[in-house]
Amino acid sequence: MAKFEVLKTFHTGICVADLDFSVGFFCDVMGYELLNRAPRDPNNTAFITNVPGADVEIAYVAGPGHNLELLCYSGPVDRKTYKARMVDVGHFHLCVVIDDIEAAIADILAYDSRITTLSPTYMEVDQGPNAGNKIIFVVLPDGMMIELTTQQPGQ
């Protein structure tokens, strides 16, 4: 048993390829609010990440019920691009509940032609705690995956 208590979830940090694109997407399309955007001291960044040469600009965006920390590293020069598939160990996705899946898909795909979906259309979940919800995954240009889901009454 833990000897400490988790008080709340503060934010989810996501490394992005283009901070302007990501802030624009979350604020302009998803309705999030930009709370703060600024570079960080490279010495502190290298210390906390344990990566020499790490240099980052961070934007915090607030969404309904959860904040995102969007991190865009410009260093070190040997950074790797991680584009896992849904089935790969280490993959993660952000899930947001929306009220109209057709409108959400249309607005998101219209924002940038590089945004895609994993399936040709949404599906309805047929079992489990999310039965009846409609879901689809969208993929942003840097590989970030976002699950869009409706929510049945009482969930």
Side-chain angles (χ1 to χ4, degrees):
M1 178 126 193
K3 295 181 180 164
F4 64 91
E5 178 183 355
V6 175
L7 302 177
K8 69 178 183 175
T9 301
F10 184 52
H11 65 258
T12 300
I14 304 168
C15 288
V16 300
D18 181 336
L19 198 56
D20 291 331
F21 175 89
S22 296
V23 168
F25 175 79
F26 279 101
C27 292
D28 298 341
V29 178
M30 302 297 288
Y32 284 54
E33 177 188 354
L34 178 63
L35 300 176
N36 179 271
R37 179 177 174 168
R40 298 302 192 262
D41 181 305
N43 293 321
N44 292 341
T45 303
F47 174 81
I48 199 69
T49 62
N50 197 28
V51 177
D55 194 12
V56 69
E57 183 176 0
I58 298 175
Y60 284 95
V61 294
H66 192 71
N67 293 342
L68 300 177
E69 177 187 45
L70 304 172
L71 303 105
C72 189
Y73 286 89
S74 58
V77 294
D78 66 342
R79 293 180 312 121
K80 296 174 178 60
T81 298
Y82 173 76
K83 288 191 177 183
R85 300 170 301 161
M86 287 288 298
V87 299
D88 293 333
V89 174
H91 160 79
F92 78 93
H93 65 271
L94 175 67
C95 179
V96 296
V97 178
I98 44 93
D99 62 348
D100 183 332
I101 199 157
E102 286 102 359
I105 294 167
D107 285 354
I108 289 168
L109 293 179
Y111 183 71
D112 190 292
S113 64
R114 299 171 297 162
I115 299 173
T116 61
T117 59
L118 289 182
S119 57
T121 187
Y122 64 86
M123 64 165 270
E124 188 170 313
V125 179
D126 62 352
Q127 58 185 320
N130 299 318
N133 293 1
K134 296 173 184 174
I135 66 168
I136 192 167
F137 284 86
V138 296
V139 184
L140 302 186
D142 58 9
M144 183 191 315
M145 293 185 197
I146 302 171
E147 178 183 358
L148 306 174
T149 185
T150 58
Q151 192 169 38
Q152 296 302 306
Q155 287 184 325

